[in-house]
C-alpha cells in the first residue's frame, strides 16, 4: 500500500524571505500580472490562468467567438474611418457648430465633442483588437465579455448612423477627406510600409507554426497582396505638392473672412483692423439692409449669436435683423460675446490681451460705409455677400441698386470693389464699370460672355470640377474658406491666386507649403523604403523558419538520446545489486530535520501520532547487517522529544540533538556501512509484497546525471528561444 510522506514546512515569514531572494519568482509574478491584465481587460475575469497551449492552434476560441469576432473588426474599421474623416475635415468645424446653433440656439463646440467621441470609440475598439491579438499570441482562448459585446454592437449602430448622416446631409465632408489624400498620400504610403514590416513578425510566426494550409493561405495571401499594392501604389499617386521647386507658384493672397475673427469679433471694425495688420490682401464681409435702408455688416439673419439682443429685447432675438431700424441696431453691443469662453467661435483661439479684451467689449455693429472708408484708407480690396432682404422689406426688389449708389457715394476707388452678387449684373456694369466682376462656379463660356475674369468658389468643389480648365483660360481663382495649413499648402501648390480665411494670423506665417517634395526625392524615398522593407520582411520570415527548424532538430536529437539512455538502463537493470533502488516516480525530497534521515533503519510499523508527521523507512534487507541493527535498536515511536517543531524566529532549520539520541545513533551507525554517497531522497514502497528490483548504484548515478544534463540543456534552450 502506498504510504505518504509529509515534510515539515517552514513558516510563512521565512517563506517570504526565501522568495524575496529568488529572482525567478519576480519574473513569474510579472508574467502572471501581465496575463491577468490582458485576460481581465478582454474577458472581465481577473483570475490568473495557468493553462497555456504549447503551440498556436488553428483557432483559439469557440464557435460563438468566431461569429462575433468579425463584428469587433467591423467596429474597429468604422470608428477609424469616422475618426479619419472628422480629423481631416477640421477646416469645417465652425460651419458645423454654426449649423447646430441655428437648430438649437445654443453655441457649443459640438465638433470637438464628436472628435473626442470618435477618438474614444477608435481607442476602445483598437484596444480590444490588440488584446485579442496578445491573447492569441500567448495561446489563450478568446472569450469576449458580454458587456464588451453589447458596446461593440452599439458602436456599430452609432457609427453606421453617423456615416449615413454624412452621406445624406453632409457629402462635402467626403470631398474634404478626398482632398486630404492628395496631400497625405505619399506619407501614408511610407507609413503603411512601416506598419507592414511590423506586422510581418506575427504573420511569419503564425505561417511557420500553423499546420493547416487553408489557414496559412488565409493569413499570408492578404498580407502579401497588401504589401504588393503598397509597393506599386506610387505609380497611381498624383499630388500637387510633388513637383519641381522652380514650378511652384507664388504664395496665395489673403482675404480676411469677416476680418480676422480669431483676433476680434467678426464683422466689427476691430476685426477688420486686425486683418489689415496681418497683411490681408482684401476684406470680406456680409451685408444686410436695415428697415430704414442703411447697409450694415452682419452674417446671421438674426442677432442672437453676435449681439446682446437677448438682454435688450429677448422676445425679438429671433426676428430678422433687416426689420430693425438702424437707430436701434447701432445701440447693440457686438463684442461682449467674443470675450466669453462659452461663445468664442473657435476652439483653438489664443487668449486676448487686456487691451484687446477691453476694445472687443466696446464694439458696435458697423455700417458698410465704415468698411469702405477703412479699405480706401489702407488700399485694400473689398468683397462681400449681399443678402436679399426678407419679404415686406421696402428694398426687397431694389436692394442692388441702392447698395451700388451707397458705394459710389462713399468715394472709394471702384477697382477696389470685387462685385460678387450675380443679380442685376448688367446694371452694375453700366453704373459702375470700374467694379471688378467676380463670378462663381460658372462655365467658361458664361464667364467670357459676362466679361468676368475672377471667380470665388468653394474649395471642395473646385478641385473636382475643371481646375485645369479655369487656369488654362487665365481665370483668377479665390477659394473659401481655407483655415488649415495643409489646405492652404494644397492651394499654394495648385497655383491658386487667393484664399478667404479665418486663420490669417497663422497662414500668413507660412513661407513654404507643407508636405512639399520634389519628384526625385519622393522616388528615392519610395525605392529606399521598398527595398529596405523587403529585406527586413525576408529576414524576419527566414529567422522564424530557421528557429523552428533548429528547434525541431534539437527535439529529435533529445528523443534519440533519451531512447538510447532508456536502452542502457534496461541493460543495467538486469544485473544484481545490493544498493538502494531508484524509482523516480516515487521520489520525494528529504528534509534534514526529518526523523527518517537520522534513523534510516526504523521499521515500517511506526504509527501516526497526533500532531506528528509520517516517516518512511528503507525496506528491510536480507543481509545479516539489518539483523544486528534489529538486536541493538528497539522499535521507537516519534515523540515530542524526538521531533521538535522549528521555531518561528529561526531563519534556518537545524536538527536538535539529545544525548540519549547521540548514543543510540552511535550504536546504529556502525552497522550501516555505505561506501557511496547517499541519495537525498527517500524511497516510498508501493507494497510490502512487491518483489524488489534493484540496480547498481553506479549505473543509477550515471543515468540520473545524464537525464539531468539533457533536461537542463532543453530548459536552457527554451529560455533562450523565449527571450529571442
Amino acid at each position: 500500500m502506498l504510504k505518504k510522506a509529509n515534510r515539515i514546512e517552514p513558516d510563512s515569514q521565512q517563506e517570504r524571505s526565501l522568495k524575496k531572494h529568488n529572482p525567478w519568482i519576480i519574473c513569474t509574478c510579472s508574467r502572471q500580472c501581465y496575463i491577468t491584465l490582458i485576460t481581465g481587460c478582454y474577458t472581465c475575469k481577473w483570475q490568473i490562468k495557468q493553462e497555456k497551449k504549447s503551440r498556436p492552434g488553428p483557432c483559439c476560441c469557440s464557435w460563438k467567438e468566431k461569429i462575433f469576432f468579425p463584428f469587433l473588426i467591423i467596429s474597429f474599421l468604422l470608428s477609424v474611418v469616422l475618426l479619419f474623416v472628422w480629423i481631416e475635415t477640421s477646416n469645417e468645424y465652425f460651419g458645423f457648430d454654426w449649423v447646430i446653433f441655428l437648430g438649437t440656439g445654443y453655441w457649443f463646440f459640438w465638433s470637438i465633442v464628436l472628435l473626442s467621441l470618435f477618438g474614444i470609440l477608435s481607442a476602445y475598439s483598437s484596444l480590444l483588437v490588440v488584446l485579442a491579438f496578445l491573447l492569441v499570441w500567448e495561446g489563450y482562448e478568446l472569450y469576449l465579455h458580454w458587456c464588451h459585446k453589447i458596446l461593440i454592437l452599439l458602436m456599430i449602430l452609432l457609427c453606421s448612423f453617423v456615416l449615413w448622416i454624412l452621406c445624406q446631409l453632409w457629402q462635402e465632408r467626403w470631398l474634404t477627406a478626398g482632398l486630404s489624400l492628395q496631400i497625405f498620400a505619399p506619407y501614408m504610403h511610407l507609413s503603411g510600409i512601416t506598419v507592414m514590416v511590423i506586422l510581418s513578425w506575427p504573420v511569419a510566426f503564425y505561417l511557420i507554426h500553423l499546420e493547416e494550409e487553408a489557414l496559412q493561405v488565409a493569413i499570408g495571401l492578404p498580407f502579401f497582396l497588401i504589401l504588393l499594392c503598397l509597393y506599386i501604389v506610387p505609380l497611381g499617386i498624383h499630388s500637387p505638392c510633388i513637383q519641381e521647386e522652380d514650378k511652384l507658384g507664388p504664395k496665395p493672397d489673403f482675404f480676411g473672412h469677416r476680418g480676422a475673427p480669431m483676433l476680434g469679433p467678426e464683422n466689427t471694425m476691430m476685426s477688420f483692423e486686425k486683418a489689415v495688420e496681418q497683411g490681408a490682401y482684401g476684406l470680406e464681409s456680409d451685408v444686410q439692409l436695415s428697415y430704414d435702408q442703411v447697409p450694415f455688416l452682419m452674417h446671421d439673419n438674426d442677432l442672437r449669436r453676435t449681439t446682446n439682443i437677448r438682454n435688450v429685447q429677448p422676445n425679438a432675438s429671433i426676428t430678422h435683423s433687416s426689420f430693425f431700424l438702424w437707430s436701434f441696431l447701432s445701440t447693440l453691443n457686438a463684442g461682449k460675446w467674443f470675450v466669453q469662453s462659452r461663445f468664442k467661435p473657435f476652439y483653438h483661439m489664443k487668449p486676448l490681451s487686456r487691451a484687446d479684451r477691453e476694445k472687443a467689449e466696446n464694439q458696435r455693429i458697423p455700417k458698410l460705409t465704415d468698411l469702405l472708408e477703412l479699405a480706401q484708407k489702407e488700399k485694400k480690396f473689398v468683397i462681400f455677400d449681399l443678402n436679399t432682404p426678407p419679404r415686406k422689406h421696402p428694398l426687397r426688389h431694389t436692394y442692388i441698386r441702392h447698395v451700388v449708389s451707397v458705394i459710389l457715394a462713399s468715394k472709394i476707388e471702384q477697382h477696389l470693389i470685387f462685385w460678387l452678387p450675380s443679380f442685376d449684373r448688367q446694371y452694375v456694369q453700366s453704373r459702375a464699370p470700374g467694379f471688378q466682376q467676380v463670378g462663381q462656379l460658372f462655365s467658361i463660356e458664361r464667364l467670357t460672355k459676362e466679361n468676368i475674369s475672377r471667380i470665388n468658389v468653394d474649395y471642395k468643389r473646385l478641385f473636382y470640377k475643371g481646375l485645369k480648365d479655369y487656369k488654362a483660360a487665365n481665370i483668377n481663382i479665390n477659394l473659401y474658406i481655407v483655415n488649415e495649413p495643409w489646405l492652404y499648402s494644397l492651394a499654394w501648390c495648385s497655383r491658386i491666386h487667393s484664399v478667404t480665411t479665418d486663420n490669417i494670423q497663422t497662414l500668413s506665417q507660412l513661407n513654404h507649403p507643407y508636405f512639399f517634395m520634389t519628384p526625385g526625392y519622393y522616388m528615392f524615398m519610395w525605392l529606399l523604403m521598398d527595398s529596405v522593407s523587403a529585406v527586413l520582411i525576408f529576414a524576419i520570415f527566414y529567422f522564424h523558419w530557421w528557429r523552428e527548424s533548429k528547434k525541431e532538430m534539437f527535439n529529435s536529437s533529445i528523443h534519440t538520446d533519451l531512447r538510447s539512455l532508456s536502452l542502457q538502463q534496461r541493460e543495467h537493470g538486469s544485473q544484481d545489486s545490493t544498493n538502494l533502488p531508484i524509482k523516480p516516480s516515487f521520489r520525494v525530497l528529504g528534509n534534514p530535520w526529518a526523523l527518517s534521515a537520522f534513523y534510516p533503519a526504523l521499521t515500517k510499523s511506526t504509527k501516526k501520532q497526533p500532531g506528528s508527521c509520517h516517516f518512511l523507512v528503507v525496506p528491510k534487507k536480507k543481509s545479516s547487517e539489518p539483523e544486528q541493527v534489529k538486536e541493538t535498536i528497539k522499535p521507537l515511536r516519534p515523540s515530542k522529544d524526538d521531533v521538535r517543531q522549528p521555531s518561528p524566529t529561526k531563519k534556518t532549520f537545524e536538527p536538535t540533538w539529545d544525548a540519549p539520541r547521540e548514543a543510540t545513533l552511535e550504536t546504529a551507525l556502525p552497522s550501516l556501512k555505505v561506501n557511496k554517497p547517499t541519495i537525498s531522497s527517500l524511497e516510498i514502497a508501493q507494497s510490502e509484497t512487491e518483489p524488489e528490483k534493484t540496480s547498481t548504484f553506479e549505473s543509477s548515478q550515471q543515468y540520473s546525471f545524464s537525464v539531468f544534463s539533457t533536461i537542463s540543456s532543453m530548459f536552457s534552450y527554451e529560455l533562450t528561444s523565449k527571450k529571442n
Side-chain angles (χ1 to χ4, degrees):
M1 183 178 181
L2 180 64
K3 294 185 178 182
K4 298 181 180 179
N6 295 335
R7 68 171 68 177
I8 301 176
E9 298 293 341
D11 58 4
S12 59
Q13 182 179 0
Q14 197 155 18
E15 184 177 0
R16 288 195 298 267
S17 64
L18 291 175
K19 289 183 178 180
K20 185 177 180 181
H21 299 286
N22 292 334
W24 67 271
I25 295 178
I26 301 177
C27 299
T28 303
C29 293
S30 299
R31 178 169 180 78
Q32 287 179 348
C33 293
Y34 162 71
I35 296 298
T36 303
L37 178 63
I38 61 177
T39 54
C41 293
Y42 192 83
T43 65
C44 295
K45 295 181 179 179
W46 298 93
Q47 295 85 4
I48 299 178
K49 306 191 72 173
Q50 301 294 339
E51 302 83 13
K52 183 176 183 298
K53 298 182 179 180
S54 58
R55 294 172 62 90
C59 185
C60 298
C61 57
S62 62
W63 65 271
K64 295 181 180 180
E65 296 298 322
K66 294 180 186 177
I67 294 176
F68 193 83
F69 191 76
F71 289 93
L72 176 60
I73 300 299
I74 291 173
S75 66
F76 167 73
L77 296 176
L78 289 177
S79 60
V80 169
V81 169
L82 273 179
L83 181 62
F84 170 77
V85 172
W86 209 256
I87 289 176
E88 296 304 315
T89 57
S90 58
N91 192 81
E92 304 295 324
Y93 283 175
F94 176 83
F96 178 81
D97 297 336
W98 180 71
V99 170
I100 300 298
F101 171 80
L102 294 180
T104 61
Y106 183 79
W107 181 265
F108 193 70
F109 298 113
W110 302 108
S111 55
I112 303 300
V113 173
L114 288 180
L115 178 64
S116 303
L117 175 62
F118 297 150
I120 293 174
L121 294 180
S122 300
Y124 173 69
S125 58
S126 303
L127 178 62
L128 290 181
V129 171
V130 171
L131 289 175
F133 171 77
L134 292 177
L135 288 174
V136 173
W137 180 272
E138 295 294 336
Y140 289 90
E141 293 185 357
L142 297 180
Y143 176 75
L144 189 63
H145 196 264
W146 62 270
C147 293
H148 290 313
K149 294 180 179 179
I150 294 176
L151 291 176
I152 289 298
L153 294 178
L154 293 178
M155 184 190 306
I156 293 177
L157 293 177
L158 177 61
C159 293
S160 301
F161 176 74
V162 174
L163 288 175
W164 180 82
I165 292 293
L166 292 179
C167 294
Q168 296 295 327
L169 305 178
W170 214 314
Q171 298 180 0
E172 295 178 351
R173 293 273 177 175
W174 299 104
L175 300 179
T176 304
L179 286 178
S180 67
L181 293 178
Q182 296 188 21
I183 290 291
F184 299 109
Y187 299 90
M188 294 175 65
H189 160 244
L190 300 178
S191 301
I193 292 179
T194 305
V195 172
M196 295 302 291
V197 172
I198 297 174
L199 292 178
S200 63
W201 184 273
V203 170
F205 176 82
Y206 281 101
L207 288 181
I208 295 299
H209 287 80
L210 288 177
E211 298 178 355
E212 298 184 9
E213 295 183 358
L215 292 174
Q216 291 178 343
V217 173
I219 294 177
L221 184 60
F223 175 81
F224 287 107
L225 288 179
I226 295 174
L227 184 63
L228 179 61
C229 292
L230 287 176
Y231 281 162
I232 64 176
V233 74
L235 298 176
I237 290 180
H238 171 70
S239 175
C241 289
I242 300 179
Q243 58 178 299
E244 298 295 341
E245 190 76 28
D246 55 354
K247 295 183 179 180
L248 183 63
K251 184 178 180 179
D253 297 320
F254 300 103
F255 277 88
H257 185 235
R258 306 172 198 171
M262 293 187 183
L263 304 177
E266 66 177 58
N267 281 324
T268 61
M269 296 309 298
M270 175 184 176
S271 179
F272 293 118
E273 291 171 357
K274 290 291 184 179
V276 172
E277 293 176 2
Q278 296 296 327
Y281 175 75
L283 304 175
E284 189 274 346
S285 185
D286 307 273
V287 177
Q288 304 276 0
L289 290 169
S290 66
Y291 199 77
D292 53 352
Q293 304 180 7
V294 176
F296 64 96
L297 307 183
M298 180 66 59
H299 175 265
D300 298 359
N301 291 331
D302 56 62
L303 305 171
R304 291 178 297 169
R305 184 174 64 89
T306 58
T307 67
N308 61 339
I309 185 65
R310 290 181 176 180
N311 298 329
V312 178
Q313 291 186 6
N315 297 330
S317 59
I318 60 175
T319 304
H320 200 287
S321 59
S322 295
F323 287 113
F324 292 97
L325 298 176
W326 174 248
S327 58
F328 172 76
L329 294 174
S330 61
T331 61
L332 296 177
N333 186 288
K336 285 186 177 181
W337 67 274
F338 185 79
V339 299
Q340 299 177 6
S341 58
R342 177 174 173 267
F343 293 102
K344 66 179 184 179
F346 300 94
Y347 179 77
H348 54 280
M349 284 174 49
K350 295 182 179 180
L352 299 177
S353 63
R354 184 173 181 178
D356 289 341
R357 187 183 183 90
E358 294 177 355
K359 185 176 181 180
E361 290 178 349
N362 297 320
Q363 292 299 304
R364 304 291 177 179
I365 300 176
K367 296 187 293 185
L368 175 61
T369 54
D370 297 332
L371 175 61
L372 298 178
E373 181 180 354
L374 176 63
Q376 176 65 32
K377 177 182 178 181
E378 301 292 340
K379 302 300 180 182
K380 301 296 181 181
F381 295 96
V382 176
I383 185 173
F384 54 85
D385 289 314
L386 183 55
N387 296 302
T388 303
R391 294 179 180 180
K392 298 181 180 181
H393 193 278
L395 297 177
R396 169 71 176 178
H397 302 289
T398 59
Y399 69 98
I400 293 291
R401 301 189 179 192
H402 179 74
V403 172
V404 170
S405 61
V406 171
I407 294 174
L408 295 177
S410 66
K411 304 301 181 180
I412 189 176
E413 300 179 19
Q414 292 188 11
H415 74 277
L416 295 179
I417 302 298
F418 282 10
W419 185 260
L420 185 59
S422 58
F423 180 73
D424 207 1
R425 190 181 292 273
Q426 292 182 352
Y427 169 80
V428 176
Q429 289 178 337
S430 61
R431 180 71 186 277
F435 288 1
Q436 298 191 47
Q437 300 296 321
V438 180
Q440 298 178 8
L441 201 61
F442 303 146
S443 63
I444 297 179
E445 292 77 10
R446 180 179 175 180
L447 295 176
T448 305
K449 181 180 179 180
E450 296 182 4
N451 195 21
I452 298 175
S453 60
R454 185 183 297 270
I455 59 174
N456 182 56
V457 296
D458 188 352
Y459 72 91
K460 296 181 289 293
R461 300 185 179 276
L462 176 66
F463 285 99
Y464 294 97
K465 294 183 179 180
L467 174 61
K468 295 182 179 179
D469 297 335
Y470 287 114
K471 292 171 64 176
N474 200 21
I475 302 294
N476 292 334
I477 301 173
N478 180 72
L479 297 181
Y480 68 88
I481 297 170
V482 177
N483 293 333
E484 295 298 320
W486 71 264
L487 191 56
Y488 181 73
S489 300
L490 179 62
W492 191 344
C493 296
S494 301
R495 303 180 71 88
I496 299 298
H497 300 88
S498 60
V499 298
T500 301
T501 179
D502 297 317
N503 196 15
I504 187 174
Q505 71 278 0
T506 299
L507 301 185
S508 61
Q509 302 299 322
L510 296 182
N511 297 321
H512 199 270
Y514 287 174
F515 312 106
F516 180 85
M517 66 176 69
T518 61
Y521 177 77
Y522 180 57
M523 180 69 69
F524 170 75
M525 292 298 299
W526 170 26
L527 298 178
L528 179 63
M529 289 293 294
D530 287 359
S531 58
V532 172
S533 62
V535 171
L536 290 177
I537 292 174
F538 176 79
I540 290 172
F541 273 83
Y542 178 79
F543 170 76
H544 281 283
W545 173 82
W546 172 81
R547 189 174 66 172
E548 185 65 18
S549 61
K550 293 287 288 184
K551 186 176 180 180
E552 292 178 357
M553 293 175 59
F554 181 79
N555 290 336
S556 61
S557 63
I558 291 299
H559 290 308
T560 304
D561 295 340
L562 290 177
R563 291 181 61 183
S564 62
L565 289 173
S566 62
L567 291 176
Q568 295 177 6
Q569 177 62 18
R570 290 179 182 177
E571 295 176 358
H572 290 291
S574 60
Q575 302 175 4
D576 296 330
S577 176
T578 59
N579 292 316
L580 293 175
I582 298 176
K583 295 180 181 180
S585 59
F586 295 100
R587 292 171 63 189
V588 295
L589 295 177
N591 293 323
W593 54 83
L595 184 61
S596 57
F598 306 131
Y599 302 96
L602 291 179
T603 60
K604 300 179 182 179
S605 61
T606 302
K607 296 182 180 181
K608 182 172 69 174
Q609 298 294 332
S612 62
C613 300
H614 301 281
F615 297 94
L616 300 181
V617 198
V618 179
K620 296 179 181 181
K621 295 186 179 181
K622 297 180 180 180
S623 59
S624 60
E625 292 179 358
E627 296 297 334
Q628 296 176 3
V629 175
K630 185 175 181 180
E631 293 176 0
T632 57
I633 300 178
K634 295 181 180 181
L636 298 177
R637 292 178 180 271
S639 61
K640 295 182 179 180
D641 296 331
D642 295 328
V643 182
R644 294 184 180 181
Q645 298 294 335
S647 176
T649 59
K650 294 182 179 181
K651 296 186 178 180
T652 58
F653 298 92
E654 298 178 355
T656 57
W657 297 83
D658 294 332
R661 184 177 302 173
E662 292 180 359
T664 306
L665 187 59
E666 289 177 356
T667 58
L669 288 179
S671 62
L672 300 177
K673 297 180 180 180
V674 182
N675 297 326
K676 301 294 182 179
T678 58
I679 302 175
S680 62
S681 60
L682 305 178
E683 178 67 27
I684 302 178
Q686 289 182 326
S687 175
E688 294 180 357
T689 60
E690 181 182 358
E692 298 181 355
K693 299 179 182 180
T694 61
S695 62
T696 60
F697 183 77
E698 291 80 0
S699 60
S700 301
Q701 189 177 15
Q702 293 177 359
Y703 174 74
S704 301
F705 178 77
S706 302
V707 173
F708 177 77
S709 302
T710 305
I711 295 175
S712 300
S713 60
M714 292 177 62
F715 183 72
S716 61
Y717 177 80
E718 289 294 328
L719 287 179
T720 307
S721 302
K722 289 183 177 181
K723 290 181 179 179
N724 292 334

